[in-house]
Amino acid sequence: MVLAFVNTEDITIGAGRCRDSTDTIDLVNTGTITVIIDGGTGINKLDTGTESGNTWYAVHVIGGNGKATAGLFSTNAASPTLPTGYTHFRRVGWVYNHSDNNIQNFVQSGNSNLRRCFYLETPNDYTEVLNDASDNSGADVDCSTRLPATADTAIYRFHVTAGTTNVLNVRPGSTDSPVIWASLKDTEDERFLGEMPCGGTKGFYYITYGSGGAQSAITALVMGWTETL
C-alpha cells in the first residue's frame, strides 16, 4: 500500500494488505486507489470539512462489510470520520498540503510498516529551514512544519558556508545534545546528507564557530523522513 504523488490534488494508494487500526480484520486492496484532496468529502476524498493549506493530512485505507476498500484524507490520524457503511481504517502515510492548497511532491518507499518519504520540491519554497544562519551560542531549529508528528527520523542536508577556518556542529533533538551528529568545516565546502533521529522534538540543534564576518553559517534542508506505521 505504497503512496504515490500524482499531481498537486491527487495521490494513489498501491495494492497491498494490512491489519486495521484495532488489529481486528485485514484491509485488502487489489488495485490502485486514487484519493482526491479537493473533491469534497466522502469515499476517496476528505473525511470532513474543506481542504486547508499548511496542513498535514493522514492518509487512511478504509473498509467495511460489503464495501470496497477505499482511501480517505483526514487531519485526524487516530480517529477519522468514516463514510456511511465503513467501520475500519488504518493510516498508511501522510501528505502535506501547502498554503496554496497544493500537495507537496514526494516519493514514498517501503512494503511493510517501515516507510520512507522523500521530498521532490524547490528548496527555497518548501524544504529549507535555514539559509546562511549563524549562532555561536547554539540554537534550536523547529522542523515541525516539515515533519509529521509520527516521524522518528529526519533526512537532512546541511551545508556550511562563510568564514575562513571555522566549524559547524549539528546535533539531534531540540536541546544541546552531547552527541555531535555532523561536524562541517567551511574551508572544505562540506555538505552532509543523511539521517538524524528527530523523535518528539521534530528539530535539531546547531552551533557555528567564529566571530564577526569570519563566523561560519549553515543552510539546512529537510529532504524527507521515516516512520513506523
Side-chain angles (χ1 to χ4, degrees):
M1 292 187 176
V2 175
L3 306 186
F5 177 87
V6 177
N7 55 50
T8 57
E9 307 301 333
D10 305 343
I11 67 162
T12 58
I13 304 172
R17 68 170 58 224
C18 65
R19 297 293 283 175
D20 79 311
S21 61
T22 62
D23 196 20
T24 302
I25 66 167
D26 284 341
L27 295 170
V28 181
N29 176 30
T30 59
T32 299
I33 299 170
T34 298
V35 193
I36 305 169
I37 202 169
D38 65 344
T41 60
I43 300 167
N44 298 326
K45 300 175 184 179
L46 291 172
D47 65 339
T48 186
T50 57
E51 180 184 10
S52 298
N54 294 325
T55 301
W56 283 101
Y57 281 96
V59 182
H60 298 281
V61 171
I62 60 175
N65 187 25
K67 298 291 185 180
T69 303
L72 199 68
F73 284 125
S74 177
T75 57
N76 194 319
S79 184
T81 300
L82 298 178
T84 301
Y86 283 83
T87 53
H88 299 276
F89 69 91
R90 173 70 180 270
R91 186 181 66 81
V92 291
W94 293 94
V95 297
Y96 185 69
N97 210 34
H98 292 298
S99 59
D100 54 7
N101 283 344
N102 286 338
I103 295 173
Q104 178 156 290
N105 196 350
F106 68 92
V107 172
Q108 189 195 65
S109 62
N111 60 4
S112 67
N113 62 338
L114 304 176
R115 299 299 171 100
R116 290 175 179 270
C117 185
F118 298 92
Y119 294 143
L120 301 177
E121 289 284 5
T122 304
N124 289 345
D125 293 338
Y126 302 125
T127 62
E128 190 174 78
V129 291
L130 289 176
N131 183 6
D132 283 337
S134 296
D135 195 316
N136 56 10
S137 298
D140 295 327
V141 180
D142 183 352
C143 299
S144 58
T145 60
R146 304 294 190 269
L147 299 166
T150 57
D152 50 42
T153 302
I155 303 168
Y156 292 114
R157 189 181 81 182
F158 300 124
H159 178 207
V160 62
T161 57
T164 53
T165 59
N166 299 304
V167 175
L168 157 76
N169 287 337
V170 182
R171 311 174 190 200
S174 62
T175 59
D176 186 3
S177 166
V179 179
I180 296 175
W181 212 261
S183 185
L184 308 179
K185 193 173 182 179
D186 56 86
T187 54
E188 299 173 5
D189 194 31
E190 286 188 294
R191 291 172 172 83
F192 168 86
L193 176 60
E195 299 180 1
M196 283 173 48
C198 59
T201 59
K202 302 299 177 286
F204 62 90
Y205 176 92
Y206 79 96
I207 185 168
T208 55
Y209 294 94
S211 60
Q215 186 173 341
S216 58
I218 176 178
T219 295
L221 308 177
V222 178
M223 307 301 292
W225 47 275
T226 70
E227 70 164 324
T228 302
L229 292 171

PDB file of all heavy atoms in Angstrom, residues 21-41:
ATOM      1  N   SER A  21      -6.734  -0.632  12.297  1.00  0.00           N
ATOM      2  CA  SER A  21      -6.131   0.042  13.450  1.00  0.00           C
ATOM      3  C   SER A  21      -6.359  -0.687  14.760  1.00  0.00           C
ATOM      4  O   SER A  21      -5.616  -0.487  15.730  1.00  0.00           O
ATOM      5  CB  SER A  21      -6.675   1.472  13.561  1.00  0.00           C
ATOM      6  OG  SER A  21      -8.084   1.451  13.753  1.00  0.00           O
ATOM      7  N   THR A  22      -7.383  -1.531  14.831  1.00  0.00           N
ATOM      8  CA  THR A  22      -7.670  -2.287  16.055  1.00  0.00           C
ATOM      9  C   THR A  22      -7.161  -3.720  15.978  1.00  0.00           C
ATOM     10  O   THR A  22      -7.439  -4.516  16.884  1.00  0.00           O
ATOM     11  CB  THR A  22      -9.188  -2.295  16.341  1.00  0.00           C
ATOM     12  OG1 THR A  22      -9.857  -2.953  15.250  1.00  0.00           O
ATOM     13  CG2 THR A  22      -9.724  -0.886  16.489  1.00  0.00           C
ATOM     14  N   ASP A  23      -6.449  -4.058  14.894  1.00  0.00           N
ATOM     15  CA  ASP A  23      -5.924  -5.411  14.690  1.00  0.00           C
ATOM     16  C   ASP A  23      -7.034  -6.447  14.724  1.00  0.00           C
ATOM     17  O   ASP A  23      -6.893  -7.527  15.291  1.00  0.00           O
ATOM     18  CB  ASP A  23      -4.857  -5.733  15.748  1.00  0.00           C
ATOM     19  CG  ASP A  23      -4.007  -6.944  15.369  1.00  0.00           C
ATOM     20  OD1 ASP A  23      -3.966  -7.289  14.176  1.00  0.00           O
ATOM     21  OD2 ASP A  23      -3.411  -7.541  16.279  1.00  0.00           O
ATOM     22  N   THR A  24      -8.170  -6.099  14.083  1.00  0.00           N
ATOM     23  CA  THR A  24      -9.330  -6.977  14.066  1.00  0.00           C
ATOM     24  C   THR A  24      -9.509  -7.690  12.722  1.00  0.00           C
ATOM     25  O   THR A  24      -9.797  -8.888  12.677  1.00  0.00           O
ATOM     26  CB  THR A  24     -10.613  -6.179  14.378  1.00  0.00           C
ATOM     27  OG1 THR A  24     -10.469  -5.554  15.653  1.00  0.00           O
ATOM     28  CG2 THR A  24     -11.843  -7.078  14.384  1.00  0.00           C
ATOM     29  N   ILE A  25      -9.344  -6.959  11.618  1.00  0.00           N
ATOM     30  CA  ILE A  25      -9.564  -7.526  10.292  1.00  0.00           C
ATOM     31  C   ILE A  25      -8.424  -7.125   9.362  1.00  0.00           C
ATOM     32  O   ILE A  25      -7.654  -6.204   9.655  1.00  0.00           O
ATOM     33  CB  ILE A  25     -10.900  -7.063   9.671  1.00  0.00           C
ATOM     34  CG1 ILE A  25     -10.852  -5.557   9.387  1.00  0.00           C
ATOM     35  CG2 ILE A  25     -12.069  -7.413  10.573  1.00  0.00           C
ATOM     36  CD1 ILE A  25     -12.000  -5.079   8.505  1.00  0.00           C
ATOM     37  N   ASP A  26      -8.339  -7.819   8.224  1.00  0.00           N
ATOM     38  CA  ASP A  26      -7.432  -7.427   7.158  1.00  0.00           C
ATOM     39  C   ASP A  26      -8.146  -6.453   6.225  1.00  0.00           C
ATOM     40  O   ASP A  26      -9.310  -6.671   5.854  1.00  0.00           O
ATOM     41  CB  ASP A  26      -6.987  -8.642   6.338  1.00  0.00           C
ATOM     42  CG  ASP A  26      -5.953  -9.482   7.060  1.00  0.00           C
ATOM     43  OD1 ASP A  26      -5.319  -8.967   7.993  1.00  0.00           O
ATOM     44  OD2 ASP A  26      -5.792 -10.659   6.694  1.00  0.00           O
ATOM     45  N   LEU A  27      -7.438  -5.390   5.841  1.00  0.00           N
ATOM     46  CA  LEU A  27      -7.903  -4.498   4.784  1.00  0.00           C
ATOM     47  C   LEU A  27      -7.085  -4.830   3.545  1.00  0.00           C
ATOM     48  O   LEU A  27      -5.850  -4.733   3.569  1.00  0.00           O
ATOM     49  CB  LEU A  27      -7.706  -3.038   5.187  1.00  0.00           C
ATOM     50  CG  LEU A  27      -8.530  -2.566   6.390  1.00  0.00           C
ATOM     51  CD1 LEU A  27      -8.080  -1.185   6.844  1.00  0.00           C
ATOM     52  CD2 LEU A  27     -10.020  -2.549   6.046  1.00  0.00           C
ATOM     53  N   VAL A  28      -7.758  -5.226   2.479  1.00  0.00           N
ATOM     54  CA  VAL A  28      -7.080  -5.710   1.274  1.00  0.00           C
ATOM     55  C   VAL A  28      -7.399  -4.796   0.101  1.00  0.00           C
ATOM     56  O   VAL A  28      -8.571  -4.514  -0.180  1.00  0.00           O
ATOM     57  CB  VAL A  28      -7.514  -7.155   0.941  1.00  0.00           C
ATOM     58  CG1 VAL A  28      -6.776  -7.648  -0.308  1.00  0.00           C
ATOM     59  CG2 VAL A  28      -7.241  -8.078   2.121  1.00  0.00           C
ATOM     60  N   ASN A  29      -6.364  -4.347  -0.571  1.00  0.00           N
ATOM     61  CA  ASN A  29      -6.518  -3.507  -1.756  1.00  0.00           C
ATOM     62  C   ASN A  29      -5.867  -4.227  -2.930  1.00  0.00           C
ATOM     63  O   ASN A  29      -4.654  -4.428  -2.950  1.00  0.00           O
ATOM     64  CB  ASN A  29      -5.852  -2.144  -1.519  1.00  0.00           C
ATOM     65  CG  ASN A  29      -5.895  -1.264  -2.754  1.00  0.00           C
ATOM     66  OD1 ASN A  29      -6.812  -1.379  -3.554  1.00  0.00           O
ATOM     67  ND2 ASN A  29      -4.913  -0.399  -2.906  1.00  0.00           N
ATOM     68  N   THR A  30      -6.657  -4.613  -3.909  1.00  0.00           N
ATOM     69  CA  THR A  30      -6.141  -5.394  -5.030  1.00  0.00           C
ATOM     70  C   THR A  30      -5.727  -4.544  -6.224  1.00  0.00           C
ATOM     71  O   THR A  30      -5.146  -5.054  -7.172  1.00  0.00           O
ATOM     72  CB  THR A  30      -7.193  -6.412  -5.501  1.00  0.00           C
ATOM     73  OG1 THR A  30      -8.381  -5.716  -5.889  1.00  0.00           O
ATOM     74  CG2 THR A  30      -7.524  -7.399  -4.384  1.00  0.00           C
ATOM     75  N   GLY A  31      -6.038  -3.256  -6.183  1.00  0.00           N
ATOM     76  CA  GLY A  31      -5.697  -2.383  -7.304  1.00  0.00           C
ATOM     77  C   GLY A  31      -5.055  -1.098  -6.834  1.00  0.00           C
ATOM     78  O   GLY A  31      -4.342  -1.078  -5.833  1.00  0.00           O
ATOM     79  N   THR A  32      -5.295  -0.025  -7.556  1.00  0.00           N
ATOM     80  CA  THR A  32      -4.772   1.295  -7.205  1.00  0.00           C
ATOM     81  C   THR A  32      -5.930   2.218  -6.862  1.00  0.00           C
ATOM     82  O   THR A  32      -6.878   2.340  -7.642  1.00  0.00           O
ATOM     83  CB  THR A  32      -3.961   1.896  -8.372  1.00  0.00           C
ATOM     84  OG1 THR A  32      -2.846   1.052  -8.659  1.00  0.00           O
ATOM     85  CG2 THR A  32      -3.450   3.292  -8.006  1.00  0.00           C
ATOM     86  N   ILE A  33      -5.853   2.839  -5.699  1.00  0.00           N
ATOM     87  CA  ILE A  33      -6.889   3.765  -5.251  1.00  0.00           C
ATOM     88  C   ILE A  33      -6.391   5.192  -5.440  1.00  0.00           C
ATOM     89  O   ILE A  33      -5.297   5.541  -5.005  1.00  0.00           O
ATOM     90  CB  ILE A  33      -7.218   3.538  -3.766  1.00  0.00           C
ATOM     91  CG1 ILE A  33      -7.742   2.111  -3.536  1.00  0.00           C
ATOM     92  CG2 ILE A  33      -8.218   4.565  -3.271  1.00  0.00           C
ATOM     93  CD1 ILE A  33      -7.859   1.751  -2.062  1.00  0.00           C
ATOM     94  N   THR A  34      -7.184   6.027  -6.092  1.00  0.00           N
ATOM     95  CA  THR A  34      -6.862   7.448  -6.227  1.00  0.00           C
ATOM     96  C   THR A  34      -7.657   8.231  -5.189  1.00  0.00           C
ATOM     97  O   THR A  34      -8.877   8.078  -5.091  1.00  0.00           O
ATOM     98  CB  THR A  34      -7.200   7.965  -7.633  1.00  0.00           C
ATOM     99  OG1 THR A  34      -6.412   7.249  -8.605  1.00  0.00           O
ATOM    100  CG2 THR A  34      -6.880   9.456  -7.753  1.00  0.00           C
ATOM    101  N   VAL A  35      -6.950   9.067  -4.415  1.00  0.00           N
ATOM    102  CA  VAL A  35      -7.586   9.870  -3.371  1.00  0.00           C
ATOM    103  C   VAL A  35      -7.422  11.338  -3.744  1.00  0.00           C
ATOM    104  O   VAL A  35      -6.305  11.787  -4.049  1.00  0.00           O
ATOM    105  CB  VAL A  35      -6.976   9.583  -1.989  1.00  0.00           C
ATOM    106  CG1 VAL A  35      -7.856  10.186  -0.898  1.00  0.00           C
ATOM    107  CG2 VAL A  35      -6.816   8.087  -1.752  1.00  0.00           C
ATOM    108  N   ILE A  36      -8.516  12.090  -3.709  1.00  0.00           N
ATOM    109  CA  ILE A  36      -8.553  13.470  -4.206  1.00  0.00           C
ATOM    110  C   ILE A  36      -8.774  14.420  -3.037  1.00  0.00           C
ATOM    111  O   ILE A  36      -9.741  14.290  -2.292  1.00  0.00           O
ATOM    112  CB  ILE A  36      -9.684  13.642  -5.236  1.00  0.00           C
ATOM    113  CG1 ILE A  36      -9.536  12.605  -6.359  1.00  0.00           C
ATOM    114  CG2 ILE A  36      -9.693  15.049  -5.805  1.00  0.00           C
ATOM    115  CD1 ILE A  36     -10.743  12.521  -7.269  1.00  0.00           C
ATOM    116  N   ILE A  37      -7.885  15.400  -2.904  1.00  0.00           N
ATOM    117  CA  ILE A  37      -7.970  16.292  -1.746  1.00  0.00           C
ATOM    118  C   ILE A  37      -8.925  17.465  -1.968  1.00  0.00           C
ATOM    119  O   ILE A  37      -9.394  18.077  -1.007  1.00  0.00           O
ATOM    120  CB  ILE A  37      -6.565  16.806  -1.356  1.00  0.00           C
ATOM    121  CG1 ILE A  37      -6.560  17.263   0.108  1.00  0.00           C
ATOM    122  CG2 ILE A  37      -6.097  17.922  -2.297  1.00  0.00           C
ATOM    123  CD1 ILE A  37      -5.180  17.523   0.659  1.00  0.00           C
ATOM    124  N   ASP A  38      -9.232  17.802  -3.230  1.00  0.00           N
ATOM    125  CA  ASP A  38     -10.076  18.971  -3.495  1.00  0.00           C
ATOM    126  C   ASP A  38     -11.433  18.567  -4.081  1.00  0.00           C
ATOM    127  O   ASP A  38     -12.086  19.364  -4.744  1.00  0.00           O
ATOM    128  CB  ASP A  38      -9.375  19.946  -4.438  1.00  0.00           C
ATOM    129  CG  ASP A  38      -9.151  19.363  -5.831  1.00  0.00           C
ATOM    130  OD1 ASP A  38      -9.247  18.124  -5.983  1.00  0.00           O
ATOM    131  OD2 ASP A  38      -8.885  20.138  -6.767  1.00  0.00           O
ATOM    132  N   GLY A  39     -11.870  17.333  -3.815  1.00  0.00           N
ATOM    133  CA  GLY A  39     -13.114  16.849  -4.413  1.00  0.00           C
ATOM    134  C   GLY A  39     -14.294  16.809  -3.469  1.00  0.00           C
ATOM    135  O   GLY A  39     -15.282  16.122  -3.740  1.00  0.00           O
ATOM    136  N   GLY A  40     -14.190  17.473  -2.342  1.00  0.00           N
ATOM    137  CA  GLY A  40     -15.269  17.429  -1.357  1.00  0.00           C
ATOM    138  C   GLY A  40     -15.016  16.342  -0.331  1.00  0.00           C
ATOM    139  O   GLY A  40     -13.860  16.011  -0.025  1.00  0.00           O
ATOM    140  N   THR A  41     -16.076  15.769   0.218  1.00  0.00           N
ATOM    141  CA  THR A  41     -15.939  14.765   1.274  1.00  0.00           C
ATOM    142  C   THR A  41     -16.554  13.439   0.836  1.00  0.00           C
ATOM    143  O   THR A  41     -17.430  13.392  -0.027  1.00  0.00           O
ATOM    144  CB  THR A  41     -16.638  15.226   2.571  1.00  0.00           C
ATOM    145  OG1 THR A  41     -18.025  15.437   2.311  1.00  0.00           O
ATOM    146  CG2 THR A  41     -16.014  16.506   3.085  1.00  0.00           C
TER     147      THR A  41
END
